Amino acid sequence: VSQSRYGLIGMEIPQNYETMFYTKQNRNISSENYFMIECMARYKYIKLALKTGYSHNDYHISNFLVNTNKKDLQFGNVIIIDFGYAIKIPDVIMSKMKELYMKNKYVDILDIFYKDKQLSNRFNFTDHSELYGWLAGYDKHNKQTKNITKINKTIQKIKEKYEANEKKRGVFTYDTSRL
C-alpha cells in the first residue's frame, strides 16, 4: 500500500453564509454595508487573537464567511475559516495588543497583524496588500486609505453591542462562534 502525499480537507459552508469575497463581487450591497461587514470581521479577528493567543495568519476575504440572511448587516454574523497557517502570538506582541485593545486602538492592533514580521510564517503581508491590506485599511497600493477614526469607532460600537449581548445572556465561554 503506497501512501499518497496529498490530503483532502472538506468543509460544508453553513446555511445562509458565503465568503466576504463572494458578497463583495456578487451582491448588490452598499459600500457602507460592506464596510460594516469588514469591521465585524476585523472585530472577530481581534477577539479571536486575544482569546486564543493565536493569529489566523491568512486573512484574505475568502476566509471570512458572512451570514447573508441577516436583515441587519451592520451586526451580521461573521465566521473565520481555514486555520492552516495559524501561529502562536509571541507574549510581547500579545501584551501590546491587549494594551491597545483597552485603549480602543483597534486599527493599531490590525496594523501589527499586517506589518509585524514575527506574525508572518509565509511571506511579508505588505507585499500582498491586494489580499491582506483590507484588514488594517490599506489599498492594493499599500496606502492606508480607510478612515482610521471611522474604523475604530465602528469596531467600538460592534464591541459594545457584543459585550452587552454577552452580559445579558451571561456568556462566559470560549465559544469562538461568539467572538
Side-chain angles (χ1 to χ4, degrees):
V1 175
S2 67
Q3 288 187 330
S4 172
R5 288 191 245 163
Y6 302 99
L8 176 67
I9 297 176
M11 182 185 93
E12 182 178 337
I13 295 178
Q15 186 175 1
N16 298 320
Y17 280 82
E18 61 194 27
T19 67
M20 280 176 56
F21 176 80
Y22 184 88
T23 300
K24 185 176 186 178
Q25 298 297 318
N26 299 297
R27 296 280 180 202
N28 186 15
I29 187 169
S30 71
S31 59
E32 191 59 30
N33 277 343
Y34 190 76
F35 174 77
M36 295 305 294
I37 291 170
E38 284 181 323
C39 286
M40 175 59 74
R42 290 174 176 119
Y43 172 73
K44 295 274 184 126
Y45 197 86
I46 291 168
K47 288 299 289 183
L48 177 72
L50 293 177
K51 283 192 174 197
T52 66
Y54 281 83
S55 173
H56 176 273
N57 230 27
D58 194 16
Y59 48 84
H60 57 79
I61 60 176
S62 289
N63 279 338
F64 291 82
L65 300 179
V66 180
N67 186 336
T68 57
N69 198 32
K70 295 283 184 185
K71 291 184 179 167
D72 184 5
L73 283 177
Q74 187 172 6
F75 296 108
N77 201 3
V78 174
I79 298 172
I80 304 171
I81 61 170
D82 188 1
F83 290 83
Y85 290 114
I87 62 169
K88 180 86 172 118
I89 299 171
D91 291 340
V92 174
I93 294 174
M94 193 67 178
S95 294
K96 179 69 175 169
M97 288 179 174
K98 288 178 180 178
E99 178 185 318
L100 290 168
Y101 188 78
M102 297 306 293
K103 295 177 180 177
N104 303 324
K105 294 188 174 188
Y106 310 109
V107 175
D108 290 350
I109 298 169
L110 298 168
D111 235 19
I112 292 170
F113 288 116
Y114 185 55
K115 292 181 178 175
D116 196 298
K117 304 283 189 267
Q118 294 180 71
L119 294 180
S120 175
N121 62 355
R122 297 181 299 142
F123 51 74
N124 185 352
F125 291 117
T126 58
D127 290 341
H128 302 277
S129 59
E130 72 282 0
L131 292 174
Y132 299 101
W134 74 272
L135 190 73
Y138 289 85
D139 68 10
K140 65 181 179 181
H141 304 293
N142 220 18
K143 301 247 190 290
Q144 201 163 27
T145 61
K146 300 283 183 174
N147 182 326
I148 304 311
T149 303
K150 183 178 178 183
I151 293 172
N152 277 328
K153 285 181 178 179
T154 304
I155 293 173
Q156 180 63 31
K157 287 179 187 174
I158 292 167
K159 174 186 171 187
E160 289 168 1
K161 179 174 170 90
Y162 264 80
E163 287 177 353
N165 284 340
E166 287 179 353
K167 191 179 246 186
K168 187 168 50 175
R169 290 189 341 249
V171 175
F172 299 103
T173 171
Y174 283 95
D175 178 358
T176 55
S177 70
R178 304 245 186 255
L179 290 179

